Amino acid sequence: MSSDEGVRLSGLDRYLPVWIGAAMLAGLGLGWLFPDLHAFFGAMEIGGISLPIGAGLLLMMYPVLAKVRFDRFAAVARDRRLVALSIVLNWVVGPALMFALAWLFLADLPEYRTGLIIVGLARCIAMVIIWNDLALGDREAAAWLVAVNSVFQVVAFGALGWFYLDLLPGWLGLSTTGMDVSIWQVVVNVLVFLGIPLVAGLSSRWWGERRRGRAWYEERFLPRIGPVALYGLLFTVVVLFALQGESIVRQPIDVLRIAVPLVVYFGLMWAGSFVLSGLVGLGYARSTTVAFTAAGNNFELAIAVAIATFGAVSGQALAGVVGPLIEVPILVGLVYVSLWARRFFPDRRPPGDRTREPESDVVAQ
């Protein structure tokens, strides 16, 4: 990356792909060496939520949400282009694109096809926070859009599942597959993976600024907790790959077939959203935020629904698990594509923050 772009990545950030790759290999190795690891982790679930994965996600999200300036939410909410574009991309374009790709690439494999469609319905409310921060997106906009996605997820997830798995295939003369999903399951997922870290981040900022002042909070406290985000991310990646290490080794062709439409999906959703956001004048930071919130998916919800409806060893569950295995390396790569594309935007700094040096500080200063 050229020095004239003003991006000074920390040592941890600079080698992020290396850490991610090492975590993937470590997870695959653990899953292959210890086949019973799946049962071990499976025993640590409450309400369909994996405690190890949940812990990793919470550790990953808390430092980023602790950096959010919640007093800027009102300005984000007033940006109608941002909110409207994100809603359309997430709840109209995203599910429709995944439906089309699933039928295009997996027409002869109904279990995997259904699993992919469920992944497309579960819009991201967790890991997108860290991708956005690494790419220097608008933190406040990301937190706001994730909250909006959470509301839509509770209201629309079940209805969209019925539409894309039952009603629309029937209209098109295709085979149909029902999906039995509890609204309570969706609510719990949202409360755990957004509610807890959001409240923790809000409480940290309120307490820190009230007791020690904003300067201490942003210059002393945040740099100390920053590396926790990376550790949580790497732990989550290790657990995810360990859970399916044996399946990936035993069924490489199936995994490859599931991976192809996912790669196309992440690429099209991110690139289309990024370009469209720039064309409507959102600027770099918010274009980045819209792109990552549109491309990411809530894999925890998708996996939980697939297991609850079709069983832990079903093809639907395998497709759900392959989702984050492909999403993580693809979106890490898109972080660097996004940083490279900053040069094409006249205003490359976060809105409302003209003094902050635009550097990646999600994991360290």
Side-chain angles (χ1 to χ4, degrees), residues 81-134:
R81 291 174 304 172
L82 172 78
V83 178
L85 183 60
S86 179
I87 290 174
V88 171
L89 289 169
N90 272 284
W91 297 100
V92 178
V93 178
L97 177 61
M98 188 68 90
F99 175 86
L101 291 174
W103 274 97
L104 179 64
F105 287 95
L106 300 171
D108 59 326
L109 297 170
E111 290 189 359
Y112 297 155
R113 184 183 68 232
T114 299
L116 276 192
I117 292 173
I118 294 174
V119 170
L121 299 178
R123 311 313 299 167
C124 194
I125 63 170
M127 202 171 279
V128 67
I129 294 289
I130 199 167
W131 306 139
N132 175 76
D133 218 51
L134 282 167

Side-chain angles (χ1 to χ4, degrees), residues 205-214:
R205 181 168 284 278
W206 178 84
W207 179 86
E209 292 189 358
R210 183 186 177 99
R211 295 293 297 273
R212 306 293 294 272
R214 177 166 292 177

Side-chain angles (χ1 to χ4, degrees), residues 21-358:
M24 290 176 177
L25 291 175
L28 286 174
L30 287 172
W32 182 70
L33 290 172
F34 305 100
D36 294 335
L37 205 59
H38 188 283
F40 174 73
F41 281 127
M44 293 189 288
E45 288 188 359
I46 297 179
I49 293 176
S50 168
L51 295 183
I53 293 177
L57 287 173
L58 295 179
L59 287 174
M60 179 185 68
M61 291 176 64
Y62 164 67
V64 182
L65 288 172
K67 296 176 184 178
V68 170
R69 288 282 301 275
F70 294 95
D71 56 333
R72 293 178 178 162
F73 267 22
V76 176
R78 286 196 297 268
D79 191 338
R80 296 181 180 178
R81 291 174 304 172
L82 172 78
V83 178
L85 183 60
S86 179
I87 290 174
V88 171
L89 289 169
N90 272 284
W91 297 100
V92 178
V93 178
L97 177 61
M98 188 68 90
F99 175 86
L101 291 174
W103 274 97
L104 179 64
F105 287 95
L106 300 171
D108 59 326
L109 297 170
E111 290 189 359
Y112 297 155
R113 184 183 68 232
T114 299
L116 276 192
I117 292 173
I118 294 174
V119 170
L121 299 178
R123 311 313 299 167
C124 194
I125 63 170
M127 202 171 279
V128 67
I129 294 289
I130 199 167
W131 306 139
N132 175 76
D133 218 51
L134 282 167
L136 305 181
D138 187 326
R139 288 180 187 142
E140 289 70 37
W144 176 260
L145 293 181
V146 163
V148 171
N149 271 350
S150 300
V151 173
F152 271 82
Q153 200 146 194
V154 172
V155 174
F157 184 81
L160 286 174
W162 168 74
F163 178 78
Y164 281 106
L165 293 175
D166 190 6
L167 187 62
L168 183 58
W171 286 350
L172 299 176
L174 305 171
S175 61
T176 61
T177 305
M179 182 182 73
D180 181 21
V181 56
S182 165
I183 294 297
W184 172 245
Q185 188 175 39
V186 181
V187 171
V188 169
N189 191 273
V190 169
L191 290 177
V192 170
F193 295 116
L194 176 63
I196 292 176
L198 189 61
V199 170
L202 178 61
S203 300
S204 294
R205 181 168 284 278
W206 178 84
W207 179 86
E209 292 189 358
R210 183 186 177 99
R211 295 293 297 273
R212 306 293 294 272
R214 177 166 292 177
W216 174 86
Y217 182 81
E218 296 191 345
E219 297 171 11
R220 301 289 298 277
F221 178 73
L222 290 181
R224 290 178 182 174
I225 66 170
V228 174
L230 176 62
Y231 304 147
L233 172 62
L234 296 179
F235 175 77
T236 303
V237 171
V238 170
V239 174
L240 282 171
F241 276 75
L243 286 173
Q244 291 295 325
E246 186 183 12
S247 297
I248 293 171
V249 172
R250 286 191 294 104
Q251 306 176 68
I253 302 302
D254 288 355
V255 171
L256 181 62
R257 288 203 59 181
I258 297 169
V260 171
L262 284 169
V263 171
V264 175
Y265 172 83
F266 293 130
L268 288 178
M269 281 300 295
W270 186 90
S273 302
F274 189 77
V275 171
L276 184 59
S277 300
L279 290 176
V280 301
L282 288 184
Y284 171 77
R286 290 188 174 175
S287 294
T288 298
T289 299
V290 170
F292 279 103
T293 52
N297 294 91
N298 184 352
F299 58 82
E300 262 295 303
L301 177 59
I303 294 170
V305 169
I307 291 175
T309 305
F310 304 103
V313 296
S314 65
Q316 290 88 342
L318 177 61
V321 171
V322 173
L325 305 190
I326 302 303
E327 177 178 340
V328 169
I330 292 295
L331 293 192
V332 167
L334 289 174
V335 166
Y336 289 87
V337 174
S338 183
L339 291 171
W340 171 82
R342 290 171 71 247
R343 68 189 69 191
F344 301 111
F345 289 80
D347 181 7
R348 302 183 301 179
R349 295 181 184 230
D353 188 358
R354 302 296 178 238
T355 60
R356 190 180 79 170
E357 180 67 23

